[in-house]
Structures are given as C-alpha cells and as structure tokens.
Amino acid sequence: MSRKLAAYLLAAATAIAVVIPMSTSASAASCVAGWSSGTVYTGGQTASHNGRNWAAKWWTQGETPGSSDVWADRGACDGGGTTPPPGNTCNAPNWVAGQFYRAGAIVKYTDGRYYIAEHDNPGYDPVISTWYWNPHTCGGTNPPQPGGFVVSESQFNQMFPSRNPFYTYAGLTAALSSYPGFANTGSDTIKRQEAAAFLANAYHETGGLVHIVEQNQNNYPHYCDPGQPYGCPAGQAAYYGRGPIQLSWNFNYKAAGDALGLPLLTNPWLVQQDPAVAWRTALWYWNTQRGPGTMTPHDAMINSRGFGETIRSINGSIECNGGNPAQVQSRVTRYQQFTSILGVSPGGNLYC
C-alpha cells in the first residue's frame, strides 16, 4: 500500500452440495468407469468400485466410495460396459511420456482425463507423479476446493509461478476464516471474479507475490503518525509496508490488529513472519476498508461495480482518473489473466 494511499486513509468458502438421490432399482446395470483415488469428482459424476456404481454428491478426491457419505450408492453393476470418464471438453494435447512440460501445461491422459502440470517436468506420468501433476477440469467449471475456496492450489501456483515461498496457499486458505464472505458471496461467477480481483491486486502490489516487505527502506521512518494516542510503540521505522496488500502506517496496523485479534501495533513483524497473518491483513483491508474509493473492494465485486472500483479503493488517488493509466492497465491485464484461469468472464467496468 502506498504512503499516499495511507495518507488518504488517515484523512478519511462453502461449496454448494449437489444432492444425488440413491438408486431404488435392484437390477444390476453396467459398471461405469472405475474409481480412481487421484481423480477429482464433482457432484453428479459417477464411478464404479467393488462391483457397484456410485455418484458423487459434491466435490471429492481420494475418498473411497462406500467409506464416506460424499458418495451415493447407485446399485450393483455387472461390469458389462463402461461410460466415458467424467470431465468437460478440453482442447489439450495427449500426454507424451518423456516430453518436457512447463508448469501450467494441460494434457489429456490415456484414460481420457485431463491433468495440469504444477511444476516443470520431463514427461512424468500424471497418475504416478502427483507432485508434478494435478487433475484438471476444463471448460470453466473447476470445482471449489475443500473448505469452499474457489481457487485450487494448482491454479494458485499457475497464477504465481515465481512467488516467494513465504506466500503459501495454506496460509491463504487458513486466513479465509477471518472473512468467510470473501469469494463466498453471490453466484459462482461472482465468487471467482472476486477471488481473481483480490489476487490480481496482490500480484500488482508485490511483484507477483515476490516481495514480503516494502523495498524502499528510505520510506520506513515516514509511516509513524505520532499524533495517534497510542503512538508508535514498536519504533518509528517499524510500520513499513508488509504482506500481499503492503499494510503500512501505525494506525492501519492498530486497526487491523484490533479487527483480527492480533498485537500488530506492538509486533508488526508478525505480518512478515506468519503467512496466515500476512494474508489476514490483506483480507482485512479488502473486506473492511474503502481507502480513497466509495466502497470496499469486496462490496465492489459482490455488487457488480467492477474491477475498476477495487483499484479506486486501493490506490485510486494516484492511479485513477488518468493519474497513472499504465499501472491501471497492469492490474487489469493481470485480472483478465486470472479470470481466464478460473474460467469466468472478467465482467464490465474494468477501469477507474
């Protein structure tokens, strides 16, 4: 967060379950494609296991049919035939053993399912090398992850291929509990657009989740407002920018700490030491602060005001209304890339 933005401030989950009714027919049907522990199944998709057909009620991976209520028993099957494996149409090439693949590459495996490379690899088998590959659903309907977040870990890695290891996916998902309405309000499209908007702005603020702290150390002593009744107990130069939205100034650390139940005023270093805390401070700003704008970034997205309004709330005093069109374009371009990864349209009102 820029110092000029801070001056303006001073002045101013759950995925929906698809219920599949249990079969009432006693007759044996043909077995569908066999269940695979490494495959992602969404509500309504089927698999056979131990001589019975099963239907997934909601998103699942690695849960054996019959051992969890995520699967509905569709009755005995006789193995007389199979149906094509579940999944949407992808325009992806067939996987080739021994061919080099970059992270983010999508391939069609020999079983007809699709996989996305999480890491560069020299053609490892997607079913065997699960660290290098993740199951992938094409066509813009990637299932929400456990806990309700609409961005999978593989998509997160695709968005931030050069990120600092400090910015973990686990830290982000752990932080979601502080603001359960984030990326979990409205339609599935709105949820994905909000997640893309938040992550696109975080990308811009941190150079792709590379920088944990503000790089210009000459600014550090300027983020203490001694006029506040609580002063700057951690030291005058302690409240520099940190985290995905670069939280700065003593009054912002005080407000974020109070909201999150964390001692950030006296220990601002927590934001650069704990990934979940860093993400929580970014979500605090996103969901509760409007900056130089007229609404919070969260409200802008769930009320279909557009990505441009999130820019206005984060750094609109410097970038919007022609202030710095190149910076605005940088944010918009990243947002468009992230919505593409999540399989949704970016919507309108992209600029501010």
Side-chain angles (χ1 to χ4, degrees):
M1 188 185 305
S2 69
R3 181 159 59 91
K4 291 185 178 180
L5 168 58
Y8 270 79
L9 288 175
L10 177 61
T14 306
I16 299 175
V18 178
V19 179
I20 307 299
M22 293 182 62
S23 173
T24 58
S25 173
S27 61
S30 296
C31 288
V32 299
W35 172 78
S36 171
S37 62
T39 299
V40 171
Y41 297 91
T42 57
Q45 292 184 334
T46 56
S48 62
H49 184 68
N50 288 342
R52 303 187 74 81
N53 284 330
W54 304 83
K57 298 178 183 178
W58 51 78
W59 189 101
T60 179
Q61 182 182 23
E63 297 177 278
T64 306
S67 67
S68 169
D69 63 1
V70 70
W71 291 98
D73 188 352
R74 303 303 296 269
C77 61
D78 60 14
T82 60
T83 60
N88 299 312
T89 302
C90 248
N91 216 358
N94 292 329
W95 169 77
V96 177
Q99 177 176 313
F100 182 80
Y101 292 99
R102 291 273 184 200
I106 299 172
V107 297
K108 183 178 181 180
Y109 191 57
T110 55
D111 62 359
R113 294 185 172 91
Y114 297 93
Y115 293 82
I116 185 168
E118 283 212 54
H119 306 278
D120 293 355
N121 71 86
Y124 294 138
D125 191 306
V127 176
I128 297 173
S129 301
T130 55
W131 190 80
Y132 289 96
W133 296 93
N134 252 0
H136 182 68
T137 303
C138 301
T141 55
N142 296 307
Q145 299 304 292
F149 193 38
V150 295
V151 180
S152 71
E153 186 167 9
S154 63
Q155 290 169 334
F156 178 77
N157 290 335
Q158 186 179 355
M159 292 172 176
F160 303 100
S162 302
R163 65 182 170 84
N164 190 307
F166 172 80
Y167 290 111
T168 62
Y169 179 78
L172 171 57
T173 55
L176 297 177
S177 61
S178 294
Y179 294 95
F182 166 74
N184 199 29
T185 303
S187 68
D188 186 65
T189 294
I190 290 176
K191 293 174 186 177
R192 295 175 190 275
Q193 286 175 340
E194 183 179 11
F198 171 76
L199 293 172
N201 279 301
Y203 188 106
H204 182 86
E205 295 291 322
T206 60
L209 290 186
V210 171
H211 303 305
I212 302 172
V213 302
E214 183 174 350
Q215 297 302 287
N216 186 355
Q217 296 187 17
N218 291 330
N219 285 338
Y220 286 13
H222 301 301
Y223 294 124
C224 171
D225 175 19
Q228 300 296 330
Y230 40 78
C232 300
Q236 181 173 337
Y239 302 100
Y240 48 85
R242 297 178 175 91
I245 302 291
Q246 294 289 282
L247 185 73
S248 57
W249 287 88
N250 56 332
F251 49 82
N252 282 326
Y253 278 90
K254 173 70 163 60
D258 288 349
L260 299 170
L262 297 168
L264 299 185
L265 181 66
T266 56
N267 188 6
W269 297 278
L270 278 175
V271 182
Q272 68 189 74
Q273 295 169 346
D274 187 322
V277 171
W279 284 112
R280 289 182 200 278
T281 62
L283 289 172
W284 165 79
Y285 185 87
W286 183 269
N287 288 276
T288 70
Q289 304 299 299
R290 66 183 188 181
T294 60
M295 64 188 71
T296 68
H298 172 69
D299 286 340
M301 295 308 297
I302 67 171
N303 292 314
S304 300
R305 293 293 296 273
F307 180 72
E309 284 298 316
T310 72
I311 304 174
R312 192 177 299 279
S313 298
I314 291 173
N315 210 23
S317 60
I318 296 175
E319 296 180 14
C320 294
N321 301 320
N324 195 328
Q327 293 295 302
V328 171
Q329 185 61 58
S330 172
R331 294 181 193 264
V332 170
T333 298
R334 194 64 55 183
Y335 172 64
Q336 291 172 322
Q337 292 174 350
F338 286 4
T339 52
S340 177
I341 290 174
L342 296 181
V344 293
S345 70
N349 301 319
L350 299 182
Y351 297 85
C352 62

